[in-house]
Amino acid sequence: MPLYDPTHPTTTGSDGDGCVPGRSPQGAEHNKAPLPDPSPRSASEETSRRAPGPGGTNPSGAAPAKRRSHPAPGPGTTTPSGAAPAKPRSQRALILTAALVATLLLLALVSAGTGAYRIPTPDVLASVQHRMGLGGAPLDRVGESVLWNVRLPRVVLALLVGASLGCAGALMQGVFGNPLAEPGVIGISAGAAVGAVAAIGLGLSFFGNWTITVCAFISGLITVSSVYLLSRNGGKTEVVTLILTGIAVNAFAGALIGLFVFFADSGQVNQITFWQLGSLAQATWPKVLAVLPCALAGLLIAPFYARRLDLLSLGERPARHLGIEVERLRLSLILVVALLTAAAVAVAGVITFIGLLVPHLLRMANGPGHRFLVPGSALAGAVVLVAGDLAARTLAQPAELPLGVLTALIGSPFFFWLLRRTRRKQGGWA
């Protein structure tokens, strides 16, 4: 047999072990077998030899790639784009809540002292402190009568009505999954007004001071249930269907109100006109006490549904997988919405766009989370309506603008903008 020539290529063996050309199978086996290390090392030395340390190299001889670490921005630092980092949402919610509470208290004081009979703010505070037994001093006889029998009932009623409408708007948008849902726009307020007008036109008094409130609640409940059933299609609420349903409900409610006006006497016609235009001019403490239980019940119950509304916003199927009984949740919230809307309509008439304007402004400020949105909409609704009532009775002195007309003049352009924005996001409506 000839000696092994390293320049002579060999072929693979019959067993198909796939040797590299230029090497014999024996050489391949010798390459596979590891050579013994003449200098034995300990396990720690072996580990330190194999694992590259800081600034060391990996086994291939190349320096390891350095990881780029981005330090978290601290107070006063800026992001790489140069903009300051956004505040945490919980911190923003706390700031917004404090700002809304402070604004509401300030507006309430200003509204209580502003009017044909001017009462300075320090005198208002002194009179309130005197009534609460915290010192202070009473006003003169006329000032006390104006403040406690005319102004303060109106301020408290505006606060309750605004909070009810704002909270009802946030709940309805969560229930329908639609940003255009609002008690006035889709006809809930008009439907509740039919019950109140019927109680006036027919002279009903079976519940005393609660008669108008009860009739408005029953009518509002029927209306919101009808809108819910008519606007649902395939498990979702379409924007066009919701708007068309609202137009139909408003038209039908307007026809029923016109029918009651036709058969009413002159005194009842004045009362019905008050309900149609919306106003707080007839605010009294008995009306505040009549609407207070309904408004407080709805406002206290609503925040407990915030987490479930967040889950429902993910979609019906994911909400069910997360343990939410969707239909029971919707029915419960419809009852709460009817309660809040009836409370507002029973004492103030039809006031629109509060429930549409307020939740959207808060979403722009702090996002769509309902844990802040539901109570925040109640606070902001109270702020908006107290300010609106102050403007309604001071812009055209000695006359008084209807509050519902004023809110419609402000809210309609916002609704048009929101409608176009929603249409642009959805790529048009067929």
Side-chain angles (χ1 to χ4, degrees):
M1 175 181 284
L3 296 174
Y4 169 69
D5 184 3
T7 62
H8 181 71
T10 61
T11 58
T12 58
S14 61
D15 56 352
D17 55 358
C19 299
V20 180
R23 293 183 182 177
S24 65
Q26 292 84 356
E29 289 177 0
H30 285 298
N31 286 336
K32 291 178 184 176
L35 295 175
D37 193 352
S39 57
R41 296 178 176 88
S42 64
S44 60
E45 289 176 344
E46 184 69 20
T47 304
S48 63
R49 183 177 68 88
R50 290 183 179 181
T57 58
N58 55 27
S60 62
K66 295 182 179 180
R67 293 184 180 180
R68 300 179 63 185
S69 60
H70 299 281
T77 60
T78 58
T79 58
S81 60
K87 292 182 179 180
R89 189 162 291 175
S90 58
Q91 184 178 354
R92 278 185 290 166
L94 186 62
I95 293 173
L96 284 171
T97 302
L100 287 172
V101 171
T103 304
L104 182 60
L105 292 175
L106 181 62
L107 280 173
L109 288 174
V110 173
S111 182
T114 303
Y117 187 88
R118 179 75 180 176
I119 303 175
T121 301
D123 293 346
V124 174
L125 289 173
S127 180
V128 171
Q129 288 176 350
H130 177 72
R131 289 292 181 107
M132 295 176 65
L134 300 176
L139 302 174
D140 57 15
R141 185 175 59 85
V142 177
E144 284 283 301
S145 177
V146 169
L147 178 63
W148 289 96
N149 297 329
V150 179
R151 300 272 175 80
L152 287 180
R154 186 161 182 164
V155 171
V156 174
L157 203 59
L159 190 152
L160 290 174
V161 171
S164 299
L165 292 176
C167 186
L171 293 178
M172 286 194 68
Q173 291 170 15
V175 169
F176 285 90
N178 197 302
L180 300 178
E182 193 266 344
V185 173
I186 64 176
I188 309 301
S189 296
V194 170
V197 168
I200 295 171
L202 298 176
L204 303 178
S205 59
F206 47 84
F207 283 117
N209 291 334
W210 290 82
T211 303
I212 294 177
T213 304
V214 170
C215 291
F217 171 74
I218 295 173
S219 180
L221 181 62
I222 294 171
T223 306
V224 72
S225 301
S226 303
V227 170
Y228 170 72
L229 294 175
L230 292 173
S231 60
R232 299 284 292 172
N233 184 20
K236 62 180 181 179
T237 306
E238 297 177 349
V239 176
V240 176
T241 307
L242 185 68
I243 294 173
L244 293 178
T245 303
I247 292 173
V249 169
N250 277 315
F252 185 69
L256 290 179
I257 291 173
L259 200 62
F260 284 114
V261 170
F262 179 77
F263 289 106
D265 56 29
S266 58
Q268 292 173 341
V269 167
N270 291 334
Q271 285 183 290
I272 292 172
T273 303
F274 160 78
W275 295 108
Q276 285 180 294
L277 297 178
S279 177
L280 296 173
Q282 299 180 10
T284 58
W285 287 118
K287 285 189 175 182
V288 171
L289 295 177
V291 76
L292 184 63
C294 295
L296 280 184
L299 293 173
L300 292 176
I301 292 171
F304 291 100
Y305 289 94
R307 180 180 173 275
R308 281 172 276 185
L309 282 173
D310 286 336
L311 297 178
L312 184 61
S313 64
L314 301 174
E316 290 190 15
R317 185 173 297 176
R320 286 193 181 96
H321 286 311
L322 293 171
I324 301 298
E325 297 183 13
V326 175
E327 293 306 320
R328 178 180 294 182
L329 173 63
R330 283 203 169 106
L331 290 175
S332 302
L333 289 175
I334 283 173
L335 287 173
V336 176
V337 167
L339 189 66
L340 291 170
T341 306
V345 172
V347 293
V350 180
I351 298 176
T352 56
F353 295 108
I354 298 294
L356 181 73
L357 179 71
V358 168
H360 275 281
L361 293 177
L362 292 183
R363 281 194 190 94
M364 293 176 185
N366 196 61
H370 287 85
R371 291 186 180 183
F372 167 74
L373 187 63
V374 172
S377 295
L379 270 176
V383 169
V384 170
L385 205 63
V386 170
D389 181 60
L390 178 61
R393 60 189 177 85
T394 55
L395 289 178
Q397 285 182 336
E400 182 176 322
L401 294 174
L403 184 57
V405 173
L406 187 62
T407 57
L409 287 174
I410 297 173
S412 296
F414 182 82
F415 179 71
F416 292 147
W417 170 79
L418 184 62
L419 194 62
R420 290 181 61 85
R421 180 171 175 262
T422 306
R423 181 181 181 183
R424 197 182 311 119
K425 279 187 175 182
Q426 296 187 0
W429 297 326

